[in-house]
Amino acid sequence: MMYSVDCQKNFITIEEFKGKYQNREKFLAYCKECPRYNNTWSCPPLAFDVNEYLDKYTYVYVVCAKITLTDQVIREADTPDKVKDMGWKILCDVKANLEEKLRSMERLVPESISLSSGGCNNCSICTRKDGIPCRLPDKMRYSMDAFGFDLTAITKDLFDIDIQWCKDSLPKYFTLIHGLLTKSKVKDELWNF
């Protein structure tokens, strides 16, 4: 096994979540530096009013996946290309699993929708570049980043985890932040992470 995954959840009202963690101007500036900006349907600029979208919901259940890498994997990623490729593969694998679990939660929780992290990976090439509607709208979910949320503060405040970043080597762990927007509280027994 290359890594282990520990998932935690926490919830907060959407009003408090926006008040504490949303700074669209600051965080969308980072999005503009990303190659996914205006090229992926899940990423900004979004074609709708962000606050109207969020205000339909009462709660956000935040799911934090802490992906702890083995020492062997960290050692094996001994070149910049290996760091990039191995890190991307691990994150994509865990992200796909989280997204599937959250889409399952949507089916269990009426009037809910999930949010992902870091943009959609469902297609190798997104149709947005060509002005064509999303091929998989039933699977595509908007990223929390696209709404201007401070993922570093969310991770620290709600889970007491400091985000680590790839530099010259893989970090000891990665974190992915996803969410489930709901109109009512979700029973604990429905969560199976």
Side-chain angles (χ1 to χ4, degrees):
M1 182 55 105
M2 297 171 51
Y3 57 86
S4 62
V5 181
D6 175 41
C7 286
Q8 301 176 50
K9 72 167 173 48
N10 206 332
F11 78 98
I12 185 171
T13 66
I14 195 68
E15 185 178 327
E16 186 179 359
F17 193 69
K18 286 173 30 183
K20 286 177 101 172
Y21 303 116
Q22 190 179 41
N23 184 336
R24 293 191 69 224
E25 185 176 309
K26 177 180 178 180
F27 292 102
L28 292 182
Y30 296 130
C31 288
K32 288 179 182 178
E33 296 173 14
C34 177
R36 291 174 176 250
Y37 183 83
N38 207 24
N39 287 311
T40 305
W41 284 115
S42 63
C43 295
L46 300 177
F48 52 84
D49 183 284
V50 167
N51 288 324
E52 281 182 26
Y53 184 94
L54 294 171
D55 289 345
K56 293 185 289 188
Y57 301 96
T58 307
Y59 301 100
V60 58
Y61 283 79
V62 183
V63 178
C64 176
K66 183 177 180 183
I67 308 153
T68 303
L69 308 180
T70 65
D71 290 339
Q72 180 180 345
V73 166
I74 294 170
R75 279 192 309 275
E76 287 176 5
D78 56 3
T79 68
D81 284 342
K82 287 181 183 178
V83 168
K84 179 182 172 187
D85 293 345
M86 291 173 85
W88 183 251
K89 180 184 179 341
I90 291 167
L91 287 171
C92 286
D93 288 348
V94 175
K95 181 179 169 178
N97 188 30
L98 276 175
E99 287 176 343
E100 184 56 40
K101 286 181 179 183
L102 284 165
R103 282 192 298 272
S104 294
M105 288 293 300
E106 290 174 15
R107 292 187 286 275
L108 297 172
V109 179
E111 299 183 283
S112 67
I113 190 81
S114 58
L115 298 175
S116 188
S117 60
C120 181
N121 296 339
N122 289 315
C123 300
S124 58
I125 298 174
C126 184
T127 57
R128 184 171 182 173
K129 292 178 185 181
D130 299 320
I132 299 170
C134 177
R135 288 184 204 103
L136 301 170
D138 57 319
K139 287 182 77 174
M140 189 279 292
R141 295 296 179 269
Y142 297 105
S143 66
M144 277 201 177
D145 326 41
F147 291 90
F149 288 117
D150 182 346
L151 302 181
T152 301
I154 292 166
T155 306
K156 182 64 177 168
D157 290 354
L158 297 181
F159 303 101
D160 198 27
I161 297 173
D162 291 315
I163 290 180
Q164 295 186 0
W165 302 96
C166 279
K167 292 183 181 153
D168 298 330
S169 64
L170 289 173
K172 290 186 181 286
Y173 61 85
F174 289 115
T175 51
L176 288 176
I177 300 295
H178 289 236
L180 183 70
L181 299 170
T182 69
K183 293 188 177 185
S184 58
K185 288 189 177 179
V186 179
K187 294 178 183 176
D188 281 338
E189 57 266 20
L190 292 179
W191 292 92
N192 186 18
F193 283 90

